Amino acid sequence: MKLSDKVAFITGGGGGIGAGIAQAFAEKGMKLVLADINLAHAEEQAKPFGDNAIALQIDVTSLESWAVAKAVAYETFGRVDVLCNNAGISQPRQPLDQVPPDTFAKVMAVNTTGVYNGVVTFADDMRQRGSGHIVNTASMNGLLAFGTFGAYSASKFAVTAMSEALRDELAPYNVGVSVLFPGLTRSRMSEADIASGDIPEEVAAQGLTDPVYLGRAVANAIENNQLYVISHPVYKAVLEKRYAEILAAHGQSAQEAFGTSD
Ligand SMILES: NC(=O)c1ccc[n+]([C@@H]2O[C@H](COP(=O)([O-])OP(=O)(O)OC[C@H]3O[C@@H](n4cnc5c(N)ncnc54)[C@H](O)[C@@H]3O)[C@@H](O)[C@H]2O)c1
């Protein structure tokens, strides 16, 4: 899809990766709807783009809030061509059984249900129009899980799964889907996680990527209709180890009549 003059709706547009995506889209001549639960932060990010951007408040966990935001976006720019489901929250590092139920529920509500709600709000319009693109922000934690980050990882593995399923469902209608898997990137979330010691020291030591580079990778993925967007390839060896273990577990079927891996 060519991006010039297209309209993007970006959740979590109040800073960090959402703001980086906004900057990269503006470089392509797009119009922007920056939606965030923190309206002041979204307004601050929208300001430099003048009439080419609006800021609005949204709570991605609420379908009613999505409906109101969509109406404002359509009133302003007439349509939404690119939806970026990017809003997300982190969790304090805790063994899964010690994550309080309300923390687990909130992480799933924002990171997983929030993405589902965005899809419910915009996918059918794109399908009917026969054009559009949905970008979901997962995380490297949506491909790799490690101890004490289980709730966040679960919420992000779900984003990976939804993205792959949607890709199949929307491709016949000329609607693309991409999923972004960031590693450590500069944002309020990552800086707070580092300050509280919730990011492992060896990961923090790698430094923080500037979010505009992730934004440019996202723009490139939309233009080339590319599903996976890997901004931090340093995790390739760990991913290879995980996939090798899964493949190595493919021996004889548990019930012989159901075949082998060969
Ligand atoms: N920064 C990183 O290192 C990193 C790494 C991997 C994945 N991610 C993911 O990137 C995305 C963006 O995060 P970020 O790092 O830029 O952090 P951030 O905190 O700067 O941005 C997240 C934004 O989401 C907004 N938000 C939170 N709850 C919301 C809700 N219910 N409705 C609407 N908006 C809400 C926040 O106000 C905030 O502006 C998240 O999905 C996060 O999980 C970030």
Side-chain angles (χ1 to χ4, degrees):
M1 178 195 276
K2 279 214 166 63
L3 295 181
S4 174
D5 289 326
K6 297 287 194 311
V7 181
F9 188 108
I10 305 168
T11 69
I17 295 173
I21 293 173
Q23 173 65 42
F25 283 1
E27 290 168 3
K28 293 281 181 185
M30 294 180 77
K31 310 227 177 338
L32 308 169
V33 180
L34 302 186
D36 203 289
I37 200 154
N38 188 319
L39 181 60
H41 287 166
E43 284 172 342
E44 190 185 313
Q45 294 301 329
K47 219 177 196 172
F49 306 119
D51 290 345
N52 288 326
I54 59 164
L56 49 81
Q57 187 169 37
I58 192 172
D59 177 357
V60 295
T61 68
S62 155
L63 271 173
E64 292 72 29
S65 180
W66 273 97
V68 173
K70 175 182 172 176
V72 176
Y74 277 28
E75 241 168 65
T76 311
F77 292 127
R79 64 188 195 281
V80 165
D81 302 291
V82 175
L83 167 65
C84 294
N85 285 308
N86 168 77
I89 57 171
S90 189
Q91 64 153 116
R93 288 185 68 186
Q94 277 165 329
L96 192 56
D97 63 297
Q98 287 163 35
V99 174
D102 57 342
T103 301
F104 186 84
K106 178 126 200 247
V107 167
M108 298 305 287
V110 177
N111 294 1
T112 304
T113 309
V115 171
Y116 162 79
N117 286 344
V119 169
V120 167
T121 303
F122 284 109
D124 195 49
D125 287 8
M126 294 182 182
R127 188 191 280 116
Q128 302 288 339
R129 230 178 22 239
S131 78
H133 203 102
I134 297 175
V135 180
N136 298 324
T137 303
S139 165
M140 279 315 295
N141 296 113
L143 293 170
L144 291 165
F146 62 89
T148 70
F149 224 39
Y152 183 80
S153 280
S155 74
K156 293 298 189 177
F157 266 67
V159 173
T160 306
M162 287 191 286
S163 305
E164 291 178 353
L166 268 177
R167 172 87 166 183
D168 283 355
E169 291 163 6
L170 296 177
Y173 301 92
N174 193 38
V175 176
V177 176
S178 300
V179 51
L180 172 64
F181 298 101
L184 202 56
T185 303
R186 181 168 297 107
S187 72
R188 286 188 182 89
M189 177 194 294
S190 59
E191 284 172 342
D193 282 353
I194 289 171
S196 62
D198 282 327
I199 301 277
E201 269 174 33
E202 66 278 13
V203 178
Q206 292 166 12
L208 294 160
T209 304
D210 183 328
V212 76
Y213 292 101
L214 276 67
R216 290 180 188 141
V218 165
N220 185 55
I222 300 170
E223 286 172 332
N224 295 296
N225 197 14
Q226 171 195 333
L227 175 57
Y228 301 117
V229 187
I230 303 283
S231 53
H232 293 67
V234 289
Y235 297 100
K236 188 176 179 189
V238 195
L239 260 180
E240 277 173 345
K241 184 167 173 285
R242 173 169 188 263
Y243 293 138
E245 279 179 26
I246 293 171
L247 292 175
H250 285 65
Q252 186 73 36
S253 135
Q255 185 177 344
E256 207 177 317
F258 290 90
T260 66
S261 55
D262 303 322

